[in-house]
Amino acid sequence: MADKVLKFGIPKGSLENQTLELMRKSGWRITADPRSYIPATDDATLSCRILRPQEMPRYIADGSLDAGITGSDWIVENNVTLQQVESFIYAKATLTPSRWVLYVRNDSPVKRLEDLQGKRIATELVQFVKRILSERKVAADVEFSWGATEAKVAEGITDAAIDVTETGSSIRANGLRIVEELMTSNPVLVANPAAWADAWKQAKIRQIGILLRGALDAENRVGIKMNVAKENLEKVIALLPSITAPTISHLYPSQALKGVEWLAVETVITEQTVRELFPKLIEAGAVGIVEFPLNKIIG
């Protein structure tokens, strides 16, 4: 079993804590020491490394890693071919995909990307931007930005920037205007094509993808169960949202039931519907309502 080890990349930075928490909910205990980039795991067949998402595609492509989680934008920037296994929206990290947008100062005459002819552009996605400019036959100076990109445009250091945003509020707050959206990005689970061709590694990567998806699908959802007299069942069922349909089972008959046929009802609902739903369920005849947390929803 010594050769049965998957080299797996975890993104450093804004997605690191969310990824480690998702891995925990998925069944893996990964302990990251702030002074080390090699986390400890409770799975002898999983060897993790923490790397910047910007670098992850390169190291997966050259086989240094078998698989990992990175942004789809950095795959485009590195211009590498990888096997995409799963695309995620991290519910607690971002409710919408990240957007790479072209922006300028409010007083700029630039109305479209083609107006950047001969201009100076700051961005982290240098290779992607150069390809876009070439495709649209625009000759402009593209320079790598180490940060504070909005300030460079606001202060007139560069004519424009192509930067990542979710809502655009920070851009607007700095007196800047979005001209065009060029790309959207989500966290993705990707694999080295050679690793994907290996049956054992592919099965391990699929396992990670399925359980991570299950953990994400369970976020902001809870399970509920209750008892309902058969005569009230239809009223209760009409109130219940469900992934497929509620599970219904008969209670064991006993003297305490006094000849009334009672049923147990169980389903999954979004957490924010609880406060509205529970009073209605009680009015409809449900009793003994129990709410319980979920770690994963599979399938």
Side-chain angles (χ1 to χ4, degrees):
M1 290 292 291
D3 59 333
K4 303 295 188 184
V5 175
L6 186 81
K7 296 174 291 184
F8 189 75
I10 292 173
K12 182 175 178 58
S14 60
L15 292 178
E16 181 179 344
N17 290 335
Q18 286 84 2
T19 300
L20 291 173
E21 176 63 11
L22 275 176
M23 293 294 287
R24 184 194 68 77
K25 289 183 176 180
S26 300
W28 285 276
R29 303 287 176 175
I30 301 174
T31 306
D33 186 328
R35 295 167 294 182
S36 172
Y37 289 89
I38 306 177
T41 76
D42 63 350
D43 183 347
T45 66
L46 188 67
S47 177
C48 294
R49 298 292 185 272
I50 296 179
L51 294 169
R52 297 183 70 206
Q54 294 92 324
E55 301 174 307
M56 190 88 71
R58 184 167 71 249
Y59 291 123
I60 296 175
D62 71 13
S64 299
L65 295 171
D66 295 313
I69 295 173
T70 187
S72 57
D73 45 3
W74 300 114
I75 297 172
V76 172
E77 170 66 4
N78 283 269
N79 197 25
V80 293
T81 301
L82 301 173
Q83 173 68 46
Q84 181 168 313
V85 182
E86 186 68 83
S87 179
F88 306 110
I89 295 179
Y90 278 23
K92 292 184 178 177
T94 172
L95 294 176
T96 58
S98 298
R99 302 182 297 144
W100 285 88
V101 297
L102 163 65
Y103 59 83
V104 296
R105 284 170 43 148
N106 280 333
D107 59 0
S108 170
V110 172
K111 303 295 183 184
R112 56 185 189 140
L113 183 139
E114 284 74 11
D115 296 335
L116 293 173
Q117 190 76 27
K119 303 295 186 182
R120 191 179 185 188
I121 307 167
T123 186
E124 278 191 87
L125 294 181
V126 173
Q127 299 308 315
F128 167 72
V129 172
K130 285 183 176 180
R131 291 197 298 272
I132 290 290
L133 293 173
S134 176
E135 289 169 5
R136 294 169 66 167
K137 297 179 172 52
V138 177
D141 180 21
V142 183
E143 60 184 44
F144 181 79
S145 176
W146 293 94
T149 309
E150 292 172 357
K152 293 171 187 173
V153 182
E155 294 172 12
I157 298 173
T158 63
D159 299 294
I162 294 172
D163 203 2
V164 68
T165 185
E166 288 178 17
T167 65
S169 57
S170 177
I171 292 172
R172 292 187 292 272
N174 282 283
L176 306 170
R177 168 172 50 84
I178 293 175
V179 174
E180 185 176 341
E181 180 179 309
L182 298 176
M183 178 172 56
T184 59
S185 174
N186 285 321
V188 289
L189 171 60
V190 288
N192 173 279
W196 189 253
D198 179 282
W200 182 87
K201 289 183 177 181
Q202 183 180 136
K204 185 72 174 179
I205 296 165
R206 284 185 182 277
Q207 176 194 36
I208 293 171
I210 289 169
L211 294 176
L212 286 175
R213 167 56 58 196
L216 274 171
D217 286 347
E219 286 205 355
N220 302 320
R221 291 182 177 180
V222 295
I224 59 169
K225 52 187 176 182
M226 68 207 77
N227 293 335
V228 183
K230 186 175 182 180
E231 63 186 31
N232 295 323
L233 181 62
E234 293 303 322
K235 290 188 293 181
V236 168
I237 294 299
L239 295 171
L240 293 177
S242 176
I243 295 175
T244 52
T247 299
I248 301 171
S249 56
H250 289 267
L251 297 185
Y252 184 78
S254 69
Q255 290 183 345
L257 298 181
K258 299 180 180 179
V260 177
E261 186 176 358
W262 283 81
L263 304 165
V265 178
E266 188 168 340
T267 192
V268 173
I269 62 173
T270 57
E271 195 169 17
Q272 61 265 35
T273 62
V274 167
R275 62 178 180 267
E276 304 289 341
L277 182 60
F278 278 20
K280 295 177 182 178
L281 289 173
I282 292 170
E283 285 185 21
V287 299
I289 303 173
V290 176
E291 175 188 336
F292 52 94
L294 303 171
N295 270 347
K296 291 179 283 295
I297 299 175
I298 306 296

